[in-house]
Amino acid sequence: MSTQPEQVLESQLVAQLQTLGYAKVVIKDEASLLANLKAQLEKHNGISFSAHEFEKVLNILNKGSVFEKAKTLREKQHIIRDNGDNLYFEFINTDHWCQNEYQVTTQVTIEGTYKNRYDVTLLINGLPLVQIELKRRGLELKEAFNQINRYQRHSFGANAALFQYVQIFVISNGVNTKYYANNRHQSFKQTFFWTDKENKRLSNILNGFTSTFLEPCHISKMICKYIVLNETHKILMVLRPYQYFAVEALIDTVQNSTQNGYIWHTTGSGKTLTSFKASQIIMNMPQVKKVVFVVDRKDLDYQTSKEFNSFSKGSVDGTSNTQALVKQFEDDTKLIVTTIQKLNTAISKQRYLNRMEEVQNERIVFIFDECHRSQFGDTHNRIKAFFGNIQMFGFTGTPIFADNAVKNELGKRTTKELFGKNLHKYVITDAIKDENVLKFSVEYVGRYKQKEGRETNIDIEVEDIDRKELMESPERLEKIADYIIAHHDRKTYAKTYTGMFCVSSVQTLLKYYDILQAKKEAGQHNLKIATIFSYVANEEDADANGFIPDELSVAEEPKVLYGMNKHTREKLDEYIGHYNSMFETNFSTKDSQSFYNYYNDISKKVKERKIDILLVVNMFLTGFDSPPLNTLYVDKNLKFHGLIQAYSRTNRILNEQKSQGNIIVFRNLKKATDEAITLFSNKEAIEEIIMKPYDDYVQKFNEAFIAMLQIAPTVKSVDSLVSEEDELEFIKAFRALMRIKNMMTTFADFDWEDLAMPEQQFEDYKSKYLDLHEKVKQDNDKEKVSILEDVDFELELIHRDEINVTYILKLLANLKTATPSEREKQKKEILDTLAGEVHLRSKRELIEKFIMENLPIIEDADTIPTEFEKFWSEEQRKAFANLVGEENLDKEKTQKLIEDYLFAERPPLKDEALALIKGQQPSVLQRKTISERILDKVMKFVETFVNGMDS
């Protein structure tokens, strides 16, 4: 047998779990699940519940969302017994996590919207806390992920909703196994492999994964200690293996030594979550008085405090000034987040010393974020000299070695010299291999050579000229600005993502901004440009050594406007004025708080994709995490850790469409890039970190095209595919083509002429691909399980913002004025476009009707938009009348329900749908069918007439 059936894999897994200490139990439905829960809770707590008392327990369990239930799971519980006594009990022992009851069961059937049967469930004290979904070998792991999402929609929340207590999902096809937290908002990209301490993957569920990750004590520890409840987003987050091993190493070092150490986790791998969890656990150790988390700039103080508080509400009281910091050292605050500047002031200024001396010899643990930026000065020695009983730990994505150390008055200082032993390492190659960060696509644009005389040809690709006169020439800057304008849409997938442009100096930034702004006012582009830069006097980066300096002095409190000359300040206020006009804000450089608010607002708007390109010199190149940012334009010399830090702004994981971070370099940084990658990983890693050249992807695409033709030789042959298995093979083959095309289209060289598959043929196959997606969506036989239901069609790879209703109206205007010979061809192109765009498919039938019935009688092509609007409004009115008439709905209530849905972006509930019906409500037996039918019609109405029509 070539593949292992699911049931064989399931049997082998259960047998292995039993050897680890899980008791096998037969639970077929919710009734037996509840009976088992009662028995297990009684055993765990050493008590007995009466039937009435257990009802009270179930009332506690029934309340709230998945997030709120995760809190309930961890809290001590109380009910009043039948005899009036107080009864205290727990659902899980979080302090001694090994002391719980462990069971395994299979094929539990729960009926919600539809009946679902789950593969393997791990019960802790009778509650289903780990759900494992298996697929046979050879099937995509993503199918198991999609299957769990289907269960989330259809049955996890049904009846007693005990499966909403699942904390960790495990998906496996035997060979590959991943885990993730119960968070419906995450994509498949946010699922993780488990590894050992050296980052060696344990992916086979029967050979390594189960015996380590699912071992009862370990899975309990993951649930009790290493799941974080994010208060801001109300979601569960689980630590990845390298985060787990780093925290364990820190805990062990604090418990068993007084040594210092550092964690080397590559930029973008989630150091804030790691450091938070370490801080949270260490601060609760009885021998530790306080944990102080130290950052090196005021902006990171704000950002980190906000992130920490999102992980645990109220856990951090960020210090707004040195006075507040000193007070936190005096009071019972266990976790302090502060800047290196305020900490330095607190231990060096006479007015604070008397108060600080009271904690001078207390056991305090200092954790330094991005320790290479803040600790390379005499402040490090001052902290060590002042405190007598401390441990110091550093986190860094790019450590300082002898090769990249900057010499100062103290000599060259490496991370190892300052912090000692490296406690855990997770480098960029590990992160790319695990798909925790993306590769970089680096393109070098416009290298230069000096021609005879003083003339310079900016288009010739020859290296090693980097003269200031050339680099700042207006001709060069304008060419680069034109390049960015021409290619930004392609790089960011029609502004689905955002970009950043880092330049060599403030003076150069001013020139670039003025050029881009002038071109915008001339109508040459509509990009939303913003900028922010440092106020320190040294505006030109005279050393140009590529090391990103601190934005503020490490020796004192930030003085925002200190050292800034009048001209630069006036220019900055001019640019902030543009920003204020664009976003209806009111920021300025008048005082430090207003500028600080401007900084935070820019940070927020970049993350919300409201800014297309942010121009910077140094700010935002370190410590700034924005997954929607995918492109960095570089006109600045960078080296070693400065280069890796800057490039890493672009490679955060987000979704399928964001397949790489785009780096477009306007300088000769090829050698510097290779050196930086070699330093922070190894020489062989360059190919793993940097994407291959464009020609390689052309070859890959052509090979994938040939493979697809083996399944569907012609577009028409897709309709003749015999079985769902054949359809599945076509879906996978065409999806592989889309993935490669998605990577290729960001290259400036991309041209359909290079490919074996013409663009029109790609669009035709895409239409058939979408037909299969529609078929899965509209399949009414819900009891029949289709293998296509669990396939991720990755429609985000198809979405094109520029193809909208406005675009179609322009095509209709062209059609109206076309010659008779061209008319049929153009009509076919319009209909093909409608068939190939996901977001226009629901509108296709009506737009075709407009073309056939209305367009021929319109005399003036300029009136097409107005006539179309009239047509659309009338069709919408008729469709709404049909909806309320067919289902006997109250017109006003239905209109309000649609408005509420559009405002809240929350699908209506079944009870809300039933409340629309005029007169007598349907019987209990009919309620489910009728409510689903009404909701389906309402959602289709919105999809057709409202969504996408604001264009």
Side-chain angles (χ1 to χ4, degrees):
M1 186 178 291
S2 60
T3 58
Q4 184 180 33
E6 275 181 44
Q7 56 267 37
V8 174
L9 182 61
E10 181 181 295
S11 299
Q12 292 176 346
L13 173 60
V14 171
Q16 190 172 3
L17 288 166
Q18 286 179 274
T19 66
L20 294 173
Y22 289 88
K24 186 177 179 182
V25 58
V26 177
I27 296 174
K28 291 302 179 191
D29 54 25
E30 186 168 71
S32 51
L33 182 67
L34 291 173
N36 181 70
L37 173 63
K38 181 175 183 291
Q40 291 298 298
L41 285 178
E42 289 174 337
K43 181 180 178 183
H44 178 69
N45 289 281
I47 54 177
S48 294
F49 295 112
S50 70
H52 183 247
E53 288 167 348
F54 189 60
E55 281 297 321
K56 292 181 179 178
V57 174
L58 291 181
N59 284 339
I60 294 171
L61 287 168
N62 281 343
K63 292 174 184 171
S65 62
V66 168
F67 181 77
E68 288 156 345
K69 284 174 176 168
K71 286 184 166 182
T72 299
L73 174 69
R74 291 159 173 79
E75 293 165 350
K76 301 300 180 187
Q77 302 298 332
H78 164 253
I79 62 169
I80 304 295
R81 304 207 73 154
D82 293 344
N83 63 5
D85 290 348
N86 290 304
L87 174 63
Y88 296 92
F89 64 97
E90 66 185 14
F91 292 127
I92 190 170
N93 188 336
T94 55
D95 296 326
H96 305 285
W97 50 86
C98 293
Q99 297 175 19
N100 290 290
E101 316 299 323
Y102 301 94
Q103 297 172 299
V104 58
T105 190
T106 62
Q107 302 299 315
V108 179
T109 301
I110 301 291
E111 184 160 7
T113 308
Y114 308 107
K115 186 185 289 186
N116 292 134
R117 189 161 56 240
Y118 316 138
D119 287 346
V120 179
T121 306
L122 302 187
L123 304 159
I124 300 180
N125 303 332
L127 282 169
L129 299 189
V130 180
Q131 182 59 40
I132 305 167
E133 284 303 315
L134 303 171
K135 291 291 176 188
R136 63 178 165 81
R137 291 177 190 267
L139 286 187
E140 284 187 330
L141 210 53
K142 193 185 283 187
E143 292 186 34
F145 176 81
N146 293 338
Q147 188 169 344
I148 285 175
N149 283 345
R150 180 158 56 87
Y151 294 161
Q152 295 267 27
R153 291 192 303 270
H154 293 164
S155 57
F156 280 167
N159 308 318
L162 291 185
F163 276 85
Q164 289 190 333
Y165 277 89
V166 170
Q167 301 295 288
I168 292 174
F169 290 113
V170 175
I171 51 178
S172 179
N173 60 8
V175 177
N176 287 317
T177 306
K178 301 182 86 174
Y179 73 99
Y180 57 101
N182 187 356
N183 166 14
R184 280 191 66 187
H185 301 291
Q186 65 203 356
S187 72
F188 180 69
K189 290 281 188 182
Q190 290 149 330
T191 59
F192 319 122
F193 290 105
W194 187 251
T195 69
D196 63 16
K197 192 175 181 181
E198 280 69 47
N199 305 313
K200 181 184 174 185
R201 190 180 292 176
L202 302 172
S203 58
N204 190 305
I205 195 165
L206 299 175
N207 185 16
F209 182 86
T210 297
S211 58
T212 54
F213 188 78
L214 297 179
E215 189 277 325
C217 276
H218 183 267
I219 195 67
S220 295
K221 184 193 272 192
M222 291 299 296
I223 290 169
C224 296
K225 286 181 70 176
Y226 291 116
I227 281 182
V228 173
L229 307 184
N230 187 309
E231 290 282 352
T232 300
H233 302 293
K234 307 297 183 199
I235 56 171
L236 278 62
M237 303 171 72
V238 63
L239 266 62
R240 303 172 190 193
Y242 58 89
Q243 295 173 313
Y244 166 87
F245 288 116
V247 177
E248 290 282 292
L250 288 168
I251 292 167
D252 180 67
T253 307
V254 173
Q255 283 179 331
N256 300 309
S257 79
T258 57
Q259 299 299 307
N260 301 331
Y262 74 96
I263 302 294
W264 175 8
H265 281 184
T266 189
T267 304
S269 59
K271 289 189 293 297
T272 303
L273 181 60
T274 313
S275 56
F276 164 76
K277 182 45 72 174
S279 301
Q280 187 187 51
I281 294 173
I282 293 169
M283 78 179 187
N284 289 321
M285 292 181 181
Q287 67 267 41
V288 174
K289 178 77 172 178
K290 292 179 186 293
V291 173
V292 183
F293 190 85
V294 186
V295 295
D296 77 329
R297 296 201 304 259
K298 188 178 178 184
D299 53 86
L300 282 178
D301 187 12
Y302 166 84
Q303 182 178 314
T304 308
S305 294
K306 186 178 176 185
E307 287 188 70
F308 269 37
N309 279 320
S310 77
F311 298 145
S312 182
K313 201 169 185 178
S315 67
V316 176
D317 179 14
T319 57
S320 58
N321 54 52
T322 306
Q323 182 72 27
L325 170 63
V326 174
K327 185 176 184 303
Q328 285 187 326
F329 271 105
E330 292 175 314
D331 64 24
D332 58 0
T333 301
K334 291 286 287 182
L335 177 57
I336 300 170
V337 174
T338 189
T339 61
I340 190 74
Q341 293 87 2
K342 288 192 283 282
L343 180 59
N344 185 62
T345 302
I347 60 174
S348 59
K349 300 293 183 185
Q350 190 60 45
R351 62 182 179 276
Y352 300 122
L353 285 180
N354 288 340
R355 294 161 64 188
M356 288 297 294
E357 283 168 359
E358 294 179 18
V359 294
Q360 205 165 5
N361 294 309
E362 295 284 3
R363 180 82 187 274
I364 299 174
V365 173
F366 286 87
I367 295 178
F368 294 87
D369 178 56
E370 288 297 353
C371 57
H372 68 79
R373 293 206 301 268
S374 56
Q375 286 299 292
F376 287 78
D378 59 3
T379 304
H380 181 86
N381 291 333
R382 190 174 291 128
I383 293 168
K384 286 174 70 175
F386 182 83
F387 293 99
N389 187 19
I390 63 171
Q391 279 181 285
M392 303 172 77
F393 299 106
F395 276 79
T396 181
T398 47
I400 300 299
F401 305 110
D403 290 346
N404 63 319
V406 179
K407 191 171 183 179
N408 58 24
E409 66 276 6
L410 299 173
K412 286 190 173 185
R413 307 296 299 277
T414 67
T415 307
K416 184 177 180 180
E417 284 179 292
L418 288 168
F419 287 95
K421 184 181 176 184
N422 173 219
L423 300 176
H424 193 259
K425 182 167 75 170
Y426 186 75
V427 300
I428 189 167
T429 42
D430 296 319
I432 288 172
K433 177 192 69 181
D434 292 341
E435 299 178 351
N436 287 326
V437 299
L438 301 171
K439 288 186 177 184
F440 300 116
S441 169
V442 184
E443 293 181 82
Y444 300 96
V445 177
R447 301 175 216 170
Y448 318 95
K449 78 171 183 181
Q450 195 169 10
K451 294 178 70 177
E452 289 181 12
R454 298 181 55 80
E455 191 178 345
T456 302
N457 184 343
I458 296 185
D459 298 321
I460 294 180
E461 296 195 0
V462 178
E463 299 196 16
D464 298 330
I465 293 291
D466 198 10
R467 298 186 178 181
K468 190 171 187 292
E469 180 183 354
L470 166 66
M471 303 310 278
E472 295 186 8
S473 68
E475 181 189 8
R476 175 180 179 271
L477 301 188
E478 185 136 350
K479 277 181 177 289
I480 289 174
D482 287 340
Y483 181 93
I484 291 171
I485 291 167
H487 293 282
H488 186 73
D489 266 21
R490 171 177 286 184
K491 300 294 180 188
T492 59
Y493 301 97
K495 301 181 195 170
T496 300
Y497 305 104
T498 59
M500 193 185 296
F501 185 11
C502 67
V503 302
S504 58
S505 69
V506 172
Q507 291 304 319
T508 304
L509 183 149
L510 301 182
K511 293 173 186 176
Y512 269 124
Y513 187 99
D514 287 344
I515 290 168
L516 287 166
Q517 184 64 20
K519 288 178 181 291
K520 184 172 185 175
E521 289 170 2
Q524 294 179 32
H525 71 87
N526 63 348
L527 296 170
K528 291 180 179 174
I529 308 291
T531 186
I532 189 165
F533 45 83
S534 171
Y535 302 130
V536 291
N538 189 18
E539 292 182 352
E540 290 197 356
D541 275 356
D543 294 334
N545 61 16
F547 294 105
I548 300 172
D550 293 338
E551 294 297 335
L552 306 168
S553 165
V554 298
E556 56 189 354
E557 297 291 318
K559 295 181 174 64
V560 170
L561 301 178
Y562 176 75
M564 200 176 177
N565 67 49
K566 184 178 179 184
H567 172 70
T568 308
R569 179 175 181 176
E570 287 172 353
K571 293 295 289 183
L572 183 60
D573 264 324
E574 178 189 329
Y575 301 158
I576 294 176
H578 298 158
Y579 185 93
N580 290 336
S581 299
M582 199 160 33
F583 297 113
E584 298 182 353
T585 51
N586 189 30
F587 302 114
S588 73
T589 68
K590 297 281 189 270
D591 62 79
S592 60
Q593 189 59 49
S594 180
F595 180 81
Y596 182 46
N597 292 341
Y598 175 58
Y599 177 99
N600 289 328
D601 200 63
I602 278 187
S603 172
K604 181 167 173 278
K605 284 191 168 55
V606 170
K607 292 178 183 181
E608 292 173 347
R609 298 180 298 173
K610 293 179 180 175
I611 292 172
D612 294 320
I613 300 176
L614 178 65
L615 273 74
V616 299
V617 179
N618 291 322
M619 297 177 89
F620 282 86
L621 293 183
T622 58
F624 177 63
D625 186 4
S626 174
L629 196 155
N630 83 326
T631 299
L632 178 73
Y633 303 102
V634 181
D635 188 17
K636 176 185 179 71
N637 285 344
L638 295 166
K639 285 175 69 177
F640 295 130
H641 54 275
L643 182 145
I644 293 291
Q645 288 279 349
Y647 284 16
S648 296
R649 296 315 99 207
T650 67
N651 72 337
R652 302 302 197 265
I653 294 286
L654 185 60
N655 56 24
E656 294 294 342
Q657 189 181 52
K658 188 182 178 186
S659 51
Q660 76 271 346
N662 298 319
I663 314 295
I664 298 89
V665 184
F666 303 108
R667 298 218 171 192
N668 302 332
L669 296 186
K670 176 73 168 67
K671 184 181 176 186
T673 299
D674 291 349
E675 286 176 346
I677 291 170
T678 300
L679 180 67
F680 294 113
S681 46
N682 57 69
K683 190 166 186 176
E684 290 70 39
I686 293 169
E687 288 187 4
E688 298 174 43
I689 294 169
I690 302 295
M691 285 180 60
K692 290 179 169 38
Y694 171 71
D695 288 344
D696 287 36
Y697 292 101
V698 170
Q699 183 180 339
K700 276 189 174 184
F701 183 93
N702 291 340
E703 289 169 357
F705 174 50
I706 292 166
M708 189 198 72
L709 291 179
Q710 304 299 314
I711 300 162
T714 66
V715 174
K716 222 166 193 175
S717 65
V718 178
D719 297 330
S720 306
L721 293 172
V722 177
S723 66
E724 283 196 339
E725 284 77 10
D726 295 331
E727 291 174 340
L728 178 60
E729 289 308 308
F730 168 72
I731 289 164
K732 288 180 179 178
F734 187 75
R735 191 177 63 188
L737 271 181
M738 290 198 303
R739 286 173 177 169
I740 301 167
K741 175 182 169 284
N742 180 59
M743 289 188 277
M744 294 174 67
T745 50
T746 64
F747 284 90
D749 294 336
F750 176 73
D751 191 332
W752 277 102
E753 294 295 319
D754 300 332
L755 306 179
M757 184 184 202
E759 183 176 12
Q760 186 56 53
Q761 191 178 14
F762 180 87
E763 293 298 322
D764 292 342
Y765 272 106
K766 185 174 81 173
S767 182
K768 294 299 180 185
Y769 181 82
L770 289 172
D771 287 341
L772 288 172
H773 179 255
E774 288 291 321
K775 173 188 164 187
V776 174
K777 256 187 11 178
Q778 295 175 1
D779 185 8
N780 291 320
D781 184 13
K782 296 295 182 180
E783 292 302 315
K784 172 180 172 288
V785 177
S786 165
I787 64 170
L788 301 183
E789 250 184 79
D790 296 323
V791 178
D792 189 337
F793 280 79
E794 296 179 11
L795 297 184
E796 62 264 38
L797 299 185
I798 291 174
H799 180 66
R800 294 184 293 174
D801 283 351
E802 69 270 24
I803 308 294
N804 52 30
V805 174
T806 305
Y807 178 84
I808 295 296
L809 290 177
K810 286 179 185 174
L811 294 183
L812 293 179
N814 294 338
L815 176 62
K816 183 67 185 172
T817 56
T819 63
S821 60
E822 292 179 345
R823 199 164 292 153
E824 280 307 310
K825 182 185 173 188
Q826 288 189 15
K827 187 190 293 184
K828 182 182 182 302
E829 286 176 1
I830 293 171
L831 297 179
D832 286 347
T833 301
L834 291 170
E837 295 303 316
V838 183
H839 54 296
L840 292 177
R841 284 194 145 219
S842 61
K843 304 163 178 53
R844 179 172 56 179
E845 189 179 324
L846 287 170
I847 294 175
E848 285 184 39
K849 182 180 177 183
F850 180 79
I851 292 171
M852 302 303 179
E853 297 179 9
N854 294 53
L855 197 61
I857 60 174
I858 296 174
E859 294 182 1
D860 184 356
D862 291 340
T863 65
I864 287 175
T866 307
E867 293 300 324
F868 182 82
E869 192 173 342
K870 285 183 195 172
F871 163 80
W872 201 259
S873 298
E874 178 58 21
E875 292 297 324
Q876 182 175 348
R877 186 195 63 74
K878 287 193 286 191
F880 184 77
N882 287 340
L883 168 63
V884 296
E886 288 170 1
E887 298 295 340
N888 192 31
L889 307 181
D890 183 282
K891 187 177 176 181
E892 283 73 23
K893 285 182 181 177
T894 306
Q895 185 66 44
K896 186 175 185 309
L897 180 129
I898 291 172
E899 288 170 0
D900 289 346
Y901 162 59
L902 292 170
F903 177 76
E905 295 183 348
R906 175 186 65 79
L909 303 173
K910 290 177 184 175
D911 287 347
E912 292 174 321
L914 292 171
L916 302 178
I917 299 173
K918 293 190 289 189
Q920 188 175 352
Q921 286 286 302
S923 67
V924 175
L925 293 175
Q926 295 175 313
R927 286 171 67 87
K928 180 180 171 186
T929 304
I930 292 174
S931 63
E932 285 175 3
R933 189 176 70 229
I934 292 171
L935 287 178
D936 187 53
K937 287 185 177 182
V938 167
M939 301 303 278
K940 282 180 178 173
F941 175 84
V942 170
E943 179 62 29
T944 301
F945 289 101
V946 183
N947 289 348
M949 292 306 297
D950 52 352
S951 304

